């Protein structure tokens, strides 16, 4: 996790290759989380170039 705004429930992540992707409220709300902290490892579901689901790496993906 690179950044997370608890007010908008959106943020950004670093991928393993160092690139950065942004995610919006819909992607965060699709998962079971209430908040994220910088530095947490997360699992993502991508549809094209868009993140559609964000959860902790210990939680299952849909």
């Amino acid at each position: 996790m690179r950044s997370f705004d608890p007010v908008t429930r959106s943020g950004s992540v670093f991928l393993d290759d160092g690139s950065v992707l942004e995610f919006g409220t819909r992607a965060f709300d699709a998962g079971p989380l209430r908040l994220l902290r910088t530095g947490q490892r997360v699992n993502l579901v991508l549809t094209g170039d868009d993140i559609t689901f964000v959860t902790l790496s210990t939680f299952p993906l849909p």
Side-chain angles (χ1 to χ4, degrees):
M1 175 63 49
R2 179 176 174 251
S3 67
F4 178 70
D5 181 341
V7 174
T8 64
R9 297 181 324 280
S10 61
S12 61
V13 295
F14 282 118
L15 299 182
D16 289 338
D17 68 2
S19 59
V20 176
L21 288 179
E22 306 284 326
F23 65 89
T25 303
R26 289 178 61 181
F28 182 76
D29 288 348
L33 304 178
R34 293 189 292 166
L35 66 103
L36 289 169
R37 290 176 285 143
T38 301
Q40 283 183 300
R41 292 200 53 88
V42 294
N43 282 338
L44 310 169
V45 173
L46 294 169
T47 303
D49 291 332
D50 295 325
I51 298 174
T52 57
F53 189 91
V54 178
T55 193
L56 296 178
S57 60
T58 56
F59 289 5
L61 291 171

